[in-house]
Amino acid sequence: MAPKYKLIYFPVKGLAEPIRFLFAYLGEDFEDYRFNREDWPRIKQTTPWGKSPVLEVDGKAVSQSIAICRYLAKEAGLCGADHWEDLRIDEIVDSINDLRAELAKVAYESDEKRKTALRVPLVNEIVPFYMRRLNDIVKNNNGYLANKKLSWADLYFAAILDYLSHIYGSDLTSGYPYLKALKDKVYTIPRIKTWIDRRPDTDH
């Protein structure tokens, strides 16, 4: 009997969208529970680590979005063929999350003066550093981010891109054609396209 899945997150794509993409790729049904932001303080008390997204598997709750993605990727056959290939996938995903941390540091800074100052190196140095390297990897890696084949790193990147571009303030793939092509490739995977066509309309 297939497990019963419930994904618990805010009413946006955000960190939960890679999980949703993996469910779509798997063809697995799941309850996409999106709570109102005002309910978060109450829900937070019920989560394993005070963070969201949370995935319930047959009523057992786990958190940490990357750990959840890796679990589903194993189910989907989107991990590497060996430990070395898994390492290369993890390296990419962790690097994407390093970029996410840099973007978030600026986006969620409440002091406007400090925010303005932080944005200068973000735009001029940090974002180009990551995006150029990711773009070159795809260019020289058969159109993918790891191991010259589709992996959960590609789904992760394509799924989280809307959120990253939202907190950056513009499309991160602008000027990086191989990353744009990768996103488009993932978006045309039939089950993922079906998910995109029917998912709630949110900007990030």
Side-chain angles (χ1 to χ4, degrees):
M1 186 175 177
K4 182 179 179 182
Y5 296 109
K6 180 179 181 180
L7 180 62
I8 302 166
Y9 194 59
F10 296 94
V12 293
K13 300 183 186 86
L15 299 181
E17 200 65 8
I19 299 168
R20 299 181 185 119
F21 268 41
L22 283 159
F23 273 128
Y25 186 89
L26 274 163
E28 285 281 1
D29 291 328
F30 69 102
E31 181 183 350
D32 187 22
Y33 180 78
R34 304 183 182 217
F35 54 81
N36 294 324
R37 291 186 181 276
E38 56 267 27
D39 292 332
W40 172 236
R42 173 182 58 81
I43 291 172
K44 182 176 182 178
Q45 302 303 314
T46 70
T47 67
W49 297 98
K51 294 183 177 181
S52 185
V54 170
L55 179 65
E56 291 183 0
V57 183
D58 290 334
K60 298 184 286 290
V62 293
S63 64
Q64 297 299 337
S65 59
I66 294 177
I68 293 168
C69 284
R70 191 177 293 111
Y71 164 77
L72 293 174
K74 291 174 184 175
E75 297 290 306
L78 287 173
C79 293
D82 52 37
H83 293 319
W84 174 255
E85 289 195 357
D86 282 337
L87 176 60
R88 300 315 300 262
I89 294 169
D90 287 346
E91 177 189 27
I92 293 295
V93 172
D94 286 347
S95 295
I96 292 168
N97 274 281
D98 286 346
L99 172 59
R100 178 177 68 84
E102 295 287 351
L103 293 167
K105 183 166 63 178
V106 178
Y108 301 122
E109 172 59 54
S110 58
D111 184 306
E112 287 301 322
K113 186 175 180 180
R114 177 167 169 75
K115 186 172 189 170
T116 300
L118 287 172
R119 187 162 176 82
V120 174
L122 181 76
V123 172
N124 295 337
E125 301 168 25
I126 297 169
V127 167
F129 173 86
Y130 283 99
M131 298 305 288
R132 276 199 300 262
R133 278 157 178 74
L134 291 170
N135 192 67
D136 287 345
I137 287 168
V138 174
K139 177 183 178 181
N140 298 312
N141 201 36
N142 197 34
Y144 298 102
L145 281 166
N147 308 316
K148 298 187 176 181
K149 60 187 176 183
L150 183 71
S151 73
W152 69 277
D154 302 304
L155 270 65
Y156 188 88
F157 172 78
I160 205 168
L161 191 57
D162 280 348
Y163 170 58
L164 299 185
S165 293
H166 173 79
I167 61 175
Y168 182 54
S170 63
D171 181 2
L172 279 169
T173 64
S174 179
Y176 302 99
Y178 292 94
L179 292 175
K180 174 67 164 59
L182 175 60
K183 175 192 173 182
D184 292 344
K185 188 186 301 183
V186 171
Y187 271 40
T188 58
I189 294 171
R191 285 177 175 172
I192 290 178
K193 184 180 184 304
T194 298
W195 163 250
I196 290 169
D197 289 344
R198 70 177 179 85
R199 68 185 176 184
D201 186 17
T202 62
D203 61 0
H204 66 284

